Amino acid sequence: GGESKAIWKIPILTKGQYDIYTYIPRDKNQENEQHLGEYQYTIYHDDGESKVTINCKDVEGGWVLLGTYYCSSGNTKVELNNKSKSRVVIADAVKAVKL
């Protein structure tokens, strides 16, 4: 495993500081067995790249902050790889919120 990845290119209109979020779906009716592992994200931004690991057991679900980064147009993307112990790695959505 580990060869598949999801990549989101984030359209940045105005350069500046952005909070980057990922959406982690959570089904309260299940035992969350699909969320057993950690999700490994790489955020590409103006200052390089940052690796962030989210342990799905530690989050409520919904929008989870990956960090605050300086971003400009054409330079910002988020990558999620499937190096996870989860049986399913759900790549749902990302968003950037300008500060």
Side-chain angles (χ1 to χ4, degrees):
E3 295 81 29
S4 298
K5 48 185 67 169
I7 298 172
W8 295 269
K9 290 193 169 154
I10 300 178
I12 300 291
L13 299 177
T14 311
K15 64 182 175 183
Q17 293 279 123
Y18 285 82
D19 279 344
I20 308 260
Y21 293 86
T22 184
Y23 191 83
I24 308 253
R26 205 18 106 72
D27 186 345
K28 299 285 186 215
N29 300 323
Q30 295 177 353
E31 284 296 302
N32 297 318
E33 62 180 331
Q34 74 266 40
H35 292 294
L36 294 177
E38 298 177 332
Y39 284 8
Q40 296 179 14
Y41 293 88
T42 305
I43 300 93
Y44 297 87
H45 48 85
D46 280 30
D47 297 320
E49 58 186 71
S50 301
K51 293 192 183 303
V52 177
T53 299
I54 302 290
N55 188 327
C56 293
K57 287 187 288 217
D58 295 342
V59 297
E60 283 291 308
W63 291 106
V64 178
L65 182 65
L66 292 175
T68 304
Y69 306 99
Y70 194 85
C71 305
S72 61
S73 177
N75 213 14
T76 306
K77 67 181 179 175
V78 176
E79 189 177 283
L80 168 62
N81 70 39
N82 69 349
K83 293 174 185 154
S84 171
K85 292 183 177 67
S86 294
R87 281 188 304 134
V88 182
V89 174
I90 299 173
D92 214 26
V94 298
K95 70 176 178 179
V97 177
K98 193 168 192 315
L99 297 182

